[in-house]
Amino acid sequence: MFITLTQDQVRFYYGSERWRYNFNEIVELGLLKKKKSYILENSAFAAVTALAYYFMMFSTVVELYYIIPALLCYTILIILRFHSALEFDYYVIVKDIHKNEIKVKIKAFDRPVIGKQIDQYLNLKFDKILQIK
């Protein structure tokens, strides 16, 4: 269990990240789904293409010795770009009444479990609001 709910506290343990809040201190608790950025891989791909084009047009290399290094670079870049089928990074975000925000990156296969635990928290919070009124 990553999130532990008691009557008056919410505790979160994930790897080395730990936090604890009283139940009424939390303003928002949720999951954030962020699309991965591949700017480094895409810019390296463009740089290799530009370098290969430069050697093709403006070099005196007759035997096309630049093709093999360019193909090796393309292979490495494609492996870096497509080695994982996961397109998103997931974060647990908690905002408290003191306007502090904690953002913890979680693994994709832990997301369903943590999502269910956050749903339990939200249900408990809803029930407490109904009991007050």
Side-chain angles (χ1 to χ4, degrees), residues 3-4 13 21 29 32 34 43 77 94 98 109 120:
I3 296 176
T4 306
Y13 300 103
Y21 282 106
L29 176 64
L32 176 68
K34 186 176 177 185
S43 60
L77 289 172
V94 62
H98 307 292
F109 60 86
Q120 289 173 354

Side-chain angles (χ1 to χ4, degrees), residues 77-126:
L77 289 172
I78 288 171
I79 289 171
L80 287 175
R81 172 67 167 88
F82 297 109
H83 78 282
S84 176
L86 304 175
E87 289 191 37
F88 297 101
D89 290 329
Y90 295 98
Y91 298 90
V92 173
I93 293 183
V94 62
K95 295 180 184 176
D96 63 7
I97 59 174
H98 307 292
K99 302 202 190 273
N100 294 334
E101 181 177 313
I102 298 174
K103 190 181 207 182
V104 179
K105 185 175 180 179
I106 61 171
K107 295 178 183 171
F109 60 86
D110 291 334
R111 183 196 54 84
V113 174
I114 293 175
K116 288 178 184 176
Q117 292 173 348
I118 290 174
D119 287 342
Q120 289 173 354
Y121 161 77
L122 293 173
N123 287 336
L124 186 61
K125 185 174 182 179
F126 181 73

Side-chain angles (χ1 to χ4, degrees), residues 42-102:
N42 292 341
S43 60
F45 195 84
V48 169
T49 303
L51 192 61
Y53 182 75
Y54 172 78
F55 279 121
M56 182 173 61
M57 292 297 176
F58 303 112
S59 175
T60 59
V61 177
V62 179
E63 299 293 325
L64 300 176
Y65 288 120
Y66 60 88
I67 297 270
I68 292 173
L71 289 176
L72 287 174
C73 288
Y74 284 138
T75 304
I76 291 169
L77 289 172
I78 288 171
I79 289 171
L80 287 175
R81 172 67 167 88
F82 297 109
H83 78 282
S84 176
L86 304 175
E87 289 191 37
F88 297 101
D89 290 329
Y90 295 98
Y91 298 90
V92 173
I93 293 183
V94 62
K95 295 180 184 176
D96 63 7
I97 59 174
H98 307 292
K99 302 202 190 273
N100 294 334
E101 181 177 313
I102 298 174

